[in-house]
Amino acid sequence: GVVAGARVAYDSGKTRSVAWRKAQLKALYRMCDENRERMCATTRADLNKAPYEALVVELMLVMNDAADACNALDEWTAHERPAVGLINKFDDVRVVREPLGVVLIMGAWNYPWQLVLLPLVCALAAGNAVVIKPSELSRATAAALGELLPRYVDRDAVRVVQGAVPECTALLAQRFDHIVYTGNGVVGRVVARAAAEHLTPITLELGGKSPAIVDAAARGGLRGGGGPH
């Protein structure tokens, strides 16, 4: 299966290499750079998002983070020798940062590139294998993601799963080493319960409503139709 394949890639040890991590980050940067028009077009099709907004808020953020991570990776992965007490004075004590393993990233529909690729930058920089589940509500973007990513990054270590609730349910039944989910609180609770079965750590970015008051001074086209003004 998809998750088992990602775990085989991780267990092979190749994702731990700093050279491998840098290669993936550079490939992700190239993907965004070489496919700007197409990637912006998918958010236009899915969300009617202006191309300039998509370029700045979706793609350039990812490119900047990928470049920053690549440039800082040697420092981030360097072993540290912390100060020790007298009892450990003659021991070889060091801090070694290790990858977690296989990470599941579940994206959201409103920023369909950014909310998948930014966590991907972090997971790859940390030396993990990744399974990505893009939102099925942004169909054009999800399809483009599934086509483009395997052309640039390691297709054994980075997998894309398409689908809706049945596919999400099947994924959450698998054991992951970390889960990243962006979306609403209802699904967030489902993710948290599934993760608890395997004691999997999770990162949840849960959205909500942003209330606004439109009063009588607003232009007519902005006023609501059903409530008091």
Side-chain angles (χ1 to χ4, degrees):
V2 171
V3 181
R7 188 154 310 271
V8 168
Y10 175 76
D11 289 342
S12 73
K14 66 178 176 178
T15 68
R16 294 173 175 265
S17 160
V18 172
W20 182 90
R21 303 183 202 189
K22 288 183 177 181
Q24 305 314 304
L25 293 171
K26 291 176 181 178
L28 191 58
Y29 184 100
R30 289 198 312 274
M31 184 187 84
C32 295
D33 190 36
E34 294 172 3
N35 298 277
R36 292 184 183 198
E37 290 187 7
R38 181 180 178 187
M39 294 170 78
C40 290
T42 67
T43 59
R44 186 71 160 183
D46 289 329
L47 303 165
N48 199 29
K49 187 175 289 189
Y52 179 76
E53 179 188 359
L55 177 63
V56 173
V57 178
E58 302 264 10
L59 303 187
M60 291 185 69
L61 282 179
V62 174
M63 294 168 69
N64 287 341
D65 271 21
D68 287 345
C70 193
N71 292 335
L73 206 52
D74 289 328
E75 178 184 351
W76 291 349
T77 56
H79 295 180
E80 292 183 16
R81 293 189 176 274
V84 296
L86 181 61
I87 195 171
N88 298 113
K89 199 67 176 177
F90 300 103
D91 295 336
D92 182 14
V93 179
R94 66 184 68 189
V95 176
V96 179
R97 294 176 175 83
E98 297 282 349
L100 288 174
V102 179
V103 176
L104 172 63
I105 298 173
M106 302 175 70
W109 60 270
N110 55 337
Y111 291 93
W113 289 113
Q114 180 207 123
L115 295 176
V116 163
L117 297 183
L118 284 182
L120 179 61
V121 167
C122 299
L124 292 175
N128 298 289
V130 184
V131 176
I132 297 172
K133 169 59 183 70
S135 173
E136 71 279 7
L137 299 180
S138 294
R139 295 180 182 178
T141 302
L145 178 74
E147 178 188 336
L148 291 174
L149 262 183
R151 287 168 39 190
Y152 286 87
V153 301
D154 187 325
R155 65 177 61 198
D156 294 325
V158 181
R159 311 288 185 106
V160 179
V161 175
Q162 306 283 6
V165 174
E167 289 74 18
C168 285
T169 303
L171 278 175
L172 290 172
Q174 306 296 310
R175 182 180 72 84
F176 289 93
D177 300 292
H178 197 93
I179 298 174
V180 179
Y181 168 74
T182 303
N184 63 64
V186 174
V187 178
R189 291 180 177 88
V190 174
V191 173
R193 284 193 294 268
E197 290 294 320
H198 301 286
L199 297 179
T200 300
I202 55 178
T203 300
L204 302 178
E205 182 188 0
L206 304 180
K209 301 299 182 183
S210 299
I213 297 174
V214 181
D215 65 17
R219 286 178 290 135
L222 296 178
R223 294 173 59 179
H229 303 305

